[in-house]
Amino acid sequence: MALENKVPPGPLSEKWTKYKSTMNLVAPNNKRRIEVIVVGTGLAGASAAATLGELGYQVKCFCFHDSPRRAHSIAAQGGINAAKNYQNDGDSVYRLFYDTIKGGDYRSREANVHRLAEASTEIIDQCVAQGVPFAREYGGLLANRSFGGVQVSRTFYARGQTGQQLLLGAYQALSRQIAKGTVKMYNRHEMLDLVKVDGKARGIIARNLLTGELERFAAHSVVLGTGGYGNVYYLSTNAMGSNVSAAWRAVRKGALMANPCFTQIHPTCIPVSGEYQSKLTLMSESLRNDGRVWVPKSVADAEAIQRGEKTALDIPEEDRDYYLERRYPAFGNLVPRDVASRAAKVACDEGKGVSKTGLAVYLDFASAIIRYGKSEALTTGISNPTEAKIKELGEEVVAKKYGNLFQMYEKITGENPYKMPMKIYPAVHYTMGGLWVDYNLETNVPGLFALGEANFSDHGANRLGASALMQGLADGYFVIPYTIGSFLANEIRTPAFSTDMPEFEQAENDVANRMEKIMNIQGDQSVESFHRRLGKIMWDHCGMSRNAEGLKEGRQKIRALREEFYRDVFVPGRADEFNPELEKALRVADFLEMGEVMILDALERNESCGGHFREEYKSEEGEAKRNDADYTHVSAWEWDDTNPILHKEALEFENVELKTRSYK
Amino acid sequence: MKLHLKIWRQKTSTATGSYETHTVEADEHMSFLEMLDVLNEQLISEKKDPVAFEHDCREGICGACSMVIDGRPHGPQNGTTTCQLHMRAYKENDTITIEPFRVGAFPVVKDLVVERSSFDRIIQAGGYVSVNTGQAQDANATPIEGGIAAEAFDAATCIGCGACAAACPNGSAMLFTSAKVNHLAKLPQGQVEHKKRVQSMVAQMDKEGFGFCSNVKACEVECPKEISTENIAALNRAYISSMFTTSD
Amino acid sequence: MKWFINFLTSSIGKKLVMSLTGLFLITFLITHLIGNLQLLYNDGGESFNKYAKFMTSNPLIKMISYGLYFFIILHTVQGLMLWFVNKSKKGTTYAVKTKDNATWAANNMALLGTLVLFFLFIHMGDFWLKMKMDKLDMVTYDGGEAIKDLYARVNMAFKELWIVISYLIGLVALGFHLSHGFSSAFQTLGLRHKKYTPLINGLGLAYSILVPLAFAIIPLYIYFKN
């Protein structure tokens, strides 16, 4: 299968403008007759559904939550990037483009990323007009902060709840269209299959989660904004309900899964505290602006801490290893996420972890508190302040900057981070891989589009902080409303589809059989226990660092687990009623297949790049070593029960020179 | 630690419910929902129906978790959602009573799960700024004083969980509605439609069957985002004045 | 006119009626108290009886008093209706009742209001009805015209311990009712601001303690005087 990326010709900076002004359009009178299904109501889905509704399409929008406002975009903390250059610090569309390409370790498509950087400025305008209360300076203009891996201040934020505020903006726009009748909203409906008619995506089968009933929905086109697959690891910063099923069902219908091994492990999460743990909580990247990461220099000290005989305060300054500052003097604690995560793993693998489980490092604010305290004492005119006074003043400054995060940490761990360094450990956070899409965000299944985290296109092998929100909204507000026309302009003569067509009946029967199969197993193990075991396999074999042997072993384990799942899972209740356990079971069944593709992809990619670190491919200093000659391509996987098939799309870099990423 | 749970069980929205008691072994570092996970694993291993409860992000922002713990929505700690409540707040042999949100406009779906789409319809009635994608001017064209933007943000932090209505002895949605109205009213972008928004959102709120606010103010105590009833006063003021200053 | 009816029957409109009638009754209480404190004068009831005569015969005051009766009824009926409707809109109540999120008075306004209403029945039956029905003795001061001796009736009534106790119960209920009602009325009107709301709340607290207390002095004084 040849993967045609449909990138328009011309110079990079003119591609999108030219494309927009020459593409095929759908006239307003025709838009009214054309139906579009949007699955998912996160930033990408909600903004797409709202905008398509505004344009006049008849939209049907689906979410599995009780309300579209609960999609997991809501939990994003830090901010959203935009090349506004409001700070006059040298930012530009090109620089945002370049940072994103470089941050992604040169594994993303130039044209898509440049378009993303172009759209970024419009997003901020749009969100402000919707009433998103971004942080502002005293003069009333928008405030910015900086984020990891870049040298300009281009991140717009709303305290630590930027994702929430942006999602509510999109949700409000969506609500407006629902009230107008251009969007019909289906809450508590989960897509369980894609329906293809003559090779094109024409509808979905969704389960009404309240009644358990299977319902058929037809449209001219289907748009997926269904997020990433991080929950394949069971423990992640994703919400409990986040799943891969919609995308995976598309894969089962012929769509390709691109770069599935590219997963982002976020370095600053609250460590696992016990076997019962259900999810991990992120502590914003912004904390690394002031927090210093360290472990004890000696294993003996670390072991004493693990046994509870010593605490961080018992380790004198000279016995501490501030390993990020030591290894990466140029960027220090602010190295990109993949680098920081791996360094933490190395420290813990050496036995220097600082929690009971040995899987944690310190994030210490003591020196920031002293530094701020001294400067605060100076500015408030306190001469010869006592040490206690300095600490008190410093703590006040830190509280102003990170108060809500410190509070959250204390709520979860029961420890006071002002007195005792925070304990953090990397956790799965985001998945750069996703459905393969072309420049139009259309998958290889005609009429099926994928937006936001559900597609693979913009972040390469590693995503920079504050770029996920940008991509979700760019895709939904500013890309899909145009590019969907490339498909729909040829569909204006296509009448609405009837859900009585045999294709719909077939798809519904398939879903019903799949559910019946799972319900009838009536084994002895809970869905949750299978998910936990899958997560453990994925984390051990396809986690922060991978090797060929481990991956091969992981694949065998997953296949065995899948077999066991279909033999011994127990799902209580019935299929025709509200049944959260059945919902989980269907999702875990899909994760059990997705996991295998991730492992295959990781095994096939014989290089280290971004979030994908293969132990066999590293420099003498232990840094990631790319193989540009053989792997400057997108790996897109076609599912097959025995041996999934790999397709490749070559990545061409016409504007950026491929370099080794260095943060030393 | 050993805990005794008295939990509301109700098969369907029309079935009559009752309390069931269970004993679980919990760890003090567990979140409240993880403790319920333990209970559910226990029930599943006994081939019994697990307790249905709504949850998703488990970090206090999605607003999905909706239960009343010992008479208080989201449990005993202020400014905390159920998922952020940890078991170190309890001690050995405590008995905990868990009920669904009790609000007429939030019918029970099953056990602790309630249907809150009435909140969505209130937003649909006008909780937005009517601006199509692409119509916006430059983001810095209208300066907004930092303090005002912060006030708008405080109102906008509402997670739509419904604890306000659940805490209210009248089952009123005034705190929810007023938070959205004031978030938009504070900003110049929200001014254009302000009066119309106030009237149509209040009308929808009444239509949904929420009770009348009698200024009990339990809502602001239970709100996990600590949204103030100052918003309710502002909504009252806006509603009354809009009635005398609009043409229809 | 339709808009006005829509307004008054909306949830906020109904509360506005409660607020405005409540504020009117609060104002009335003050004037009533000032008048009644004349019962404490040692002039054999002359000033009080003259005041009572004035209050029942002046055409303007009469007009206002009809308004007062109307507002009492409106406040009561509307209040009870809201309570009934709210109870039905809440649905089931919680198995565990918490005291941690609201004051007792705020949660029990209908109960308190009903207690105050019963007290009003006793109070008006004792004095207002007897005054209206011409059941009182007549008295003359300094050769003026004969007026009704309400003062004597009051003194007689407050010799009875059970009446005094029922007054005290009624006034305590009134105090609690006011402790929520006073500031609540302003909240409903939307009169709330960081700068002046503490003052309103302070005034409300002072009012809800001092006014019932001052009213309570009258029966107690008369009871112990005798």
Side-chain angles (χ1 to χ4, degrees):
Chain A
M1 191 187 317
L3 294 176
E4 197 192 334
N5 64 26
K6 293 190 185 154
V7 171
L12 183 66
S13 60
E14 289 166 26
K15 283 181 198 283
W16 179 232
T17 319
K18 193 139 174 257
Y19 178 90
K20 280 195 289 186
S21 32
T22 53
M23 60 169 283
N24 291 333
L25 297 175
V26 180
N29 58 328
N30 286 326
K31 284 198 182 107
R32 282 195 291 275
R33 297 190 302 105
I34 290 186
E35 296 179 303
V36 180
I37 284 173
V38 177
V39 186
T41 57
L43 286 180
S47 59
T51 308
L52 293 171
E54 287 162 9
L55 287 172
Y57 292 110
Q58 289 297 317
V59 180
K60 292 171 190 157
C61 189
F62 297 81
C63 73
F64 68 78
H65 291 101
D66 64 324
S67 161
R69 67 182 295 154
R70 308 212 197 280
H72 197 52
S73 304
I74 201 126
Q77 297 172 355
I80 176 166
N81 289 330
K84 278 285 195 186
N85 194 28
Y86 282 157
Q87 305 305 321
N88 197 28
D89 57 358
D91 198 8
S92 65
V93 167
Y94 185 84
R95 194 178 287 278
L96 175 52
F97 154 77
Y98 180 80
D99 287 345
T100 307
I101 290 275
K102 178 190 171 199
D105 222 354
Y106 308 95
R107 291 293 175 262
S108 43
R109 204 186 277 147
E110 274 192 345
N112 284 55
V113 176
H114 198 273
R115 176 177 65 189
L116 172 66
E118 286 174 64
S120 70
T121 59
E122 292 174 276
I123 294 170
I124 302 301
D125 298 343
Q126 183 63 29
C127 294
V128 167
Q130 287 170 344
V132 172
F134 283 121
R136 286 174 183 269
E137 311 283 359
Y138 284 114
L141 301 179
L142 290 159
N144 289 116
R145 61 181 168 205
S146 51
F147 247 67
V150 297
Q151 288 154 315
V152 291
S153 233
R154 62 158 77 99
T155 305
F156 295 79
Y157 62 98
R159 262 175 246 170
Q161 285 154 254
T162 318
Q164 182 200 25
Q165 293 309 314
L166 294 175
L167 183 64
L168 291 181
Y171 161 72
Q172 286 168 204
L174 177 63
S175 297
R176 175 168 162 248
Q177 295 308 311
I178 295 171
K180 280 186 165 179
T182 57
V183 176
K184 175 107 180 68
M185 187 68 221
Y186 296 89
N187 294 341
R188 295 194 196 265
H189 274 69
E190 182 158 16
M191 169 179 163
L192 291 182
D193 211 351
L194 176 74
V195 180
K196 276 169 44 174
V197 178
D198 295 332
K200 295 176 181 171
R202 298 299 195 184
I204 62 167
I205 304 296
R207 182 164 177 268
N208 180 334
L209 301 182
L210 277 184
T211 62
E213 216 173 316
L214 292 179
E215 297 173 15
R216 307 171 187 183
F217 299 93
H220 290 80
S221 174
V222 177
V223 177
L224 302 183
T226 50
Y229 48 85
N231 264 350
V232 88
Y233 291 90
Y234 186 72
L235 285 181
S236 78
T237 65
N238 284 8
M240 301 301 287
S242 300
N243 66 81
V244 74
S245 287
W248 192 252
R249 288 295 120 197
V251 171
R252 296 290 302 236
K253 283 282 162 97
L256 304 180
M257 183 55 77
N259 295 340
C261 78
F262 289 164
T263 48
Q264 178 162 79
I265 317 279
H266 197 293
T268 51
C269 298
I270 299 177
V272 176
S273 64
E275 281 298 313
Y276 47 79
Q277 190 108 10
S278 61
K279 90 148 250 159
L280 297 169
T281 304
L282 177 78
M283 299 305 291
S284 170
E285 179 161 316
S286 59
L287 289 173
R288 281 196 282 142
N289 275 303
D290 283 311
R292 298 176 72 195
V293 180
W294 65 275
V295 291
K297 272 184 184 160
S298 80
V299 175
D301 275 345
E303 281 170 352
I305 292 173
Q306 290 164 13
R307 287 192 302 268
E309 291 159 11
K310 276 186 179 179
T311 72
L313 306 179
D314 298 325
I315 312 294
E317 196 62 32
E318 63 272 16
D319 290 340
R320 300 176 176 190
D321 179 13
Y322 294 91
Y323 58 86
L324 285 178
E325 295 168 24
R326 173 173 58 78
R327 289 178 59 184
Y328 308 100
F331 276 70
N333 293 298
L334 272 175
V335 290
R337 292 174 177 177
D338 51 341
V339 179
S341 293
R342 266 196 303 279
K345 182 178 186 322
V346 169
C348 293
D349 286 351
E350 287 169 0
K352 295 175 182 168
V354 295
S355 68
K356 213 162 46 178
T357 56
L359 294 176
V361 298
Y362 287 126
L363 180 63
D364 195 339
F365 291 83
S367 51
I369 287 173
I370 300 293
R371 176 162 46 89
Y372 284 127
K374 279 185 181 157
S375 107
E376 194 68 9
L378 267 178
T379 49
T380 48
I382 303 170
S383 52
N384 297 324
T386 59
E387 200 171 315
K389 186 73 192 167
I390 290 175
K391 267 195 181 162
E392 184 195 321
L393 291 169
E395 279 174 14
E396 278 169 24
V397 177
V398 169
K400 252 184 224 154
K401 293 183 89 159
Y402 311 111
N404 57 341
L405 294 168
F406 275 50
Q407 203 187 2
M408 182 158 89
Y409 180 86
E410 191 168 353
K411 258 181 207 167
I412 292 174
T413 63
E415 273 182 21
N416 179 350
Y418 294 99
K419 307 290 174 211
M420 192 60 87
M422 279 185 186
K423 285 181 204 133
I424 53 159
Y425 197 67
V428 176
H429 180 54
Y430 185 88
T431 52
M432 281 72 71
L435 290 173
W436 182 88
V437 291
D438 62 18
Y439 188 71
N440 294 327
L441 303 184
E442 189 174 7
T443 65
N444 57 310
V445 176
L448 178 68
F449 294 78
L451 317 180
E453 194 180 349
N455 74 28
F456 86 101
S457 73
D458 294 349
H459 304 298
N462 175 51
R463 180 176 64 76
L464 289 181
S467 284
L469 303 184
M470 171 172 71
Q471 190 219 343
L473 288 180
D475 287 358
Y477 283 134
F478 296 108
V479 180
I480 191 73
Y482 291 100
T483 60
I484 200 169
S486 67
F487 175 78
L488 292 176
N490 300 318
E491 299 286 334
I492 53 174
R493 286 186 191 79
T494 315
F497 291 87
S498 158
T499 52
D500 295 333
M501 295 171 80
E503 288 87 347
F504 281 89
E505 197 179 327
Q506 178 66 44
E508 188 188 318
N509 287 341
D510 290 349
V511 174
N513 291 340
R514 192 149 51 91
M515 291 199 308
E516 203 185 307
K517 189 176 157 196
I518 288 180
M519 293 299 303
N520 286 346
I521 298 167
Q522 293 292 313
D524 282 325
Q525 300 177 58
S526 69
V527 177
E528 203 76 11
S529 67
F530 279 103
H531 197 178
R532 261 179 220 277
R533 284 164 68 193
L534 170 66
K536 179 112 179 44
I537 295 173
M538 291 303 294
W539 182 250
D540 290 347
H541 296 275
C542 193
M544 258 189 290
S545 69
R546 303 135 184 207
N547 62 59
E549 209 167 306
L551 287 164
K552 282 179 195 153
E553 195 188 325
R555 186 178 181 202
Q556 294 317 315
K557 283 186 179 169
I558 285 194
R559 303 201 113 201
L561 187 68
R562 199 158 70 212
E563 190 268 328
E564 190 181 333
F565 176 85
Y566 283 105
R567 186 161 40 80
D568 199 31
V569 75
F570 173 70
V571 180
R574 299 193 318 262
D576 61 348
E577 62 178 9
F578 180 75
N579 189 343
E581 283 297 311
L582 174 60
E583 294 165 27
K584 263 198 284 187
L586 291 166
R587 292 170 191 164
V588 171
D590 290 336
F591 279 134
L592 281 165
E593 292 176 357
M594 178 69 198
E596 187 180 346
V597 177
M598 290 169 69
I599 286 187
L600 273 177
D601 188 42
L603 187 59
E604 194 279 336
R605 192 168 277 277
N606 289 310
E607 65 165 348
S608 294
C609 64
H612 170 63
F613 187 80
R614 281 280 299 271
E615 286 157 12
E616 303 95 316
Y617 308 101
K618 57 184 178 191
S619 69
E620 279 165 20
E621 294 131 326
E623 302 298 335
K625 202 165 139 196
R626 278 200 329 261
N627 176 351
D628 291 335
D630 299 320
Y631 287 95
T632 311
H633 64 240
V634 179
S635 305
W637 294 86
E638 182 185 340
W639 175 252
D640 178 272
D641 279 332
T642 44
N643 271 315
I645 304 151
L646 173 65
H647 303 271
K648 293 177 185 173
E649 178 207 338
L651 290 169
E652 282 150 36
F653 290 89
E654 293 164 353
N655 301 275
V656 177
E657 188 197 342
L658 274 62
K659 288 187 199 155
T660 302
R661 279 198 311 163
S662 170
Y663 297 94
K664 286 193 184 287
Chain B
M1 68 181 115
K2 187 188 267 179
L3 292 168
H4 309 283
L5 305 176
K6 197 177 146 202
I7 301 186
W8 181 259
R9 301 302 304 263
Q10 182 175 340
K11 280 235 155 239
T12 63
S13 55
T14 46
T16 40
S18 60
Y19 288 94
E20 219 173 74
T21 31
H22 294 282
T23 303
V24 288
E25 195 58 43
D27 183 290
E28 57 162 359
H29 293 298
M30 280 179 183
S31 73
F32 197 86
L33 296 184
E34 283 165 348
M35 182 273 294
L36 288 181
D37 289 343
V38 170
L39 170 66
N40 275 349
E41 285 294 294
Q42 206 171 296
L43 288 170
I44 290 171
S45 73
E46 295 161 12
K47 306 262 153 131
K48 286 184 188 151
D49 195 23
V51 178
F53 62 93
E54 209 133 34
H55 64 103
D56 197 30
C57 78
R58 298 207 175 184
E59 52 185 281
I61 196 77
C62 75
C65 45
S66 50
M67 58 185 83
V68 170
I69 303 164
D70 288 333
R72 298 191 62 185
H74 295 301
Q77 292 171 353
N78 290 358
T80 307
T81 55
T82 302
C83 61
Q84 292 175 308
L85 172 64
H86 279 67
M87 298 316 292
R88 61 184 80 89
Y90 295 91
K91 55 185 192 308
E92 181 76 23
N93 269 323
D94 273 355
T95 299
I96 309 172
T97 306
I98 311 172
E99 306 172 67
F101 280 1
R102 303 285 192 193
V103 181
F106 294 167
V108 172
V109 170
K110 187 183 179 186
D111 299 342
L112 305 173
V113 177
V114 296
E115 179 60 37
R116 288 167 285 187
S117 47
S118 44
F119 268 12
D120 285 330
R121 290 188 291 274
I122 294 176
I123 300 295
Q124 285 156 20
Y128 46 74
V129 175
S130 294
V131 54
N132 282 359
T133 304
Q135 291 178 330
Q137 57 179 352
D138 184 82
N140 258 349
T142 313
I144 303 168
E145 203 251 294
I148 302 283
E151 283 176 26
F153 177 88
D154 287 337
T157 54
C158 167
I159 57 174
C161 63
C164 47
C168 179
N170 310 327
S172 164
M174 276 293 269
L175 191 65
F176 170 79
T177 308
S178 67
K180 182 46 69 190
V181 163
N182 277 298
H183 153 217
L184 296 173
K186 295 269 182 206
L187 302 168
Q189 289 83 1
Q191 276 305 318
V192 181
E193 301 165 271
H194 175 57
K195 290 176 182 174
K196 199 173 146 265
R197 175 185 308 121
V198 166
Q199 291 182 7
S200 48
M201 285 179 75
V202 169
Q204 187 65 35
M205 178 182 81
D206 292 353
K207 206 171 123 189
E208 293 292 345
F210 288 101
F212 310 119
C213 171
S214 60
N215 305 326
V216 173
K217 296 179 184 167
C219 53
E220 70 180 357
V221 179
E222 299 300 1
C223 174
K225 295 294 154 189
E226 301 181 306
I227 292 171
S228 159
T229 51
E230 271 178 38
N231 290 296
I232 295 182
L235 174 60
N236 289 336
R237 189 163 65 230
Y239 185 77
I240 295 166
S241 84
S242 82
M243 278 296 172
F244 292 94
T245 51
T246 49
S247 53
D248 52 340
Chain C
M1 220 30 213
K2 191 166 165 277
W3 71 269
F4 194 68
I5 292 167
N6 284 345
F7 171 45
L8 286 187
T9 51
S10 70
S11 58
I12 295 178
K14 282 178 179 152
K15 288 298 301 172
L16 181 68
V17 169
M18 292 304 288
S19 159
L20 291 176
T21 51
L23 283 174
F24 180 85
L25 297 178
I26 284 171
T27 330
F28 160 73
L29 275 183
I30 279 281
T31 56
H32 190 49
L33 176 66
I34 292 168
N36 284 12
L37 285 177
Q38 296 176 84
L39 281 166
L40 306 181
Y41 279 1
N42 262 329
D43 61 353
E46 181 177 351
S47 54
F48 180 75
N49 279 337
K50 282 182 174 166
Y51 161 76
K53 162 85 181 158
F54 172 77
M55 293 302 279
T56 44
S57 54
N58 182 298
L60 185 69
I61 304 274
K62 266 189 146 163
M63 287 278 290
I64 296 176
S65 69
Y66 291 131
L68 174 66
Y69 306 145
F70 176 69
F71 285 144
I72 290 176
I73 293 168
L74 187 59
H75 193 83
T76 310
V77 172
Q78 179 94 301
L80 287 173
M81 249 166 52
L82 287 175
W83 178 73
F84 271 116
V85 173
N86 277 340
K87 248 182 97 72
S88 73
K89 299 212 161 170
K90 179 69 183 171
T92 324
T93 50
Y94 294 117
V96 180
K97 305 259 179 294
T98 180
K99 291 183 184 122
D100 295 342
N101 57 22
T103 62
W104 179 80
N107 271 322
N108 292 285
M109 283 302 271
L111 171 71
L112 290 166
T114 309
L115 279 176
V116 172
L117 186 70
F118 280 127
F119 163 70
L120 259 186
F121 284 144
I122 298 175
H123 177 59
M124 290 179 83
D126 258 354
F127 308 127
W128 176 84
L129 197 68
K130 295 210 159 68
M131 184 99 175
K132 290 279 167 187
M133 305 270 283
D134 292 331
K135 290 267 174 72
L136 300 178
D137 298 337
M138 303 301 277
V139 62
T140 49
Y141 297 102
D142 303 334
E145 66 170 317
I147 54 174
K148 293 171 186 166
D149 193 358
L150 186 60
Y151 179 80
R153 167 72 206 149
V154 172
N155 270 285
M156 206 177 80
F158 289 155
K159 279 176 192 150
E160 300 279 350
L161 183 62
W162 73 270
I163 293 189
V164 174
I165 289 175
S166 69
Y167 265 64
L168 293 182
I169 293 172
L171 288 168
V172 169
L174 178 67
F176 276 106
H177 195 75
L178 285 168
S179 73
H180 175 73
F182 191 97
S183 58
S184 179
F186 289 91
Q187 166 84 1
T188 299
L189 287 172
L191 295 174
R192 177 158 169 184
H193 195 278
K194 284 186 181 69
K195 286 182 180 156
Y196 60 68
T197 294
L199 183 69
I200 291 177
N201 292 343
L203 272 178
L205 186 67
Y207 189 100
S208 58
I209 294 171
L210 294 180
V211 169
L213 198 67
F215 271 118
I217 288 172
I218 299 167
L220 287 174
Y221 173 78
I222 294 174
Y223 181 78
F224 287 110
K225 189 178 73 179
N226 295 296

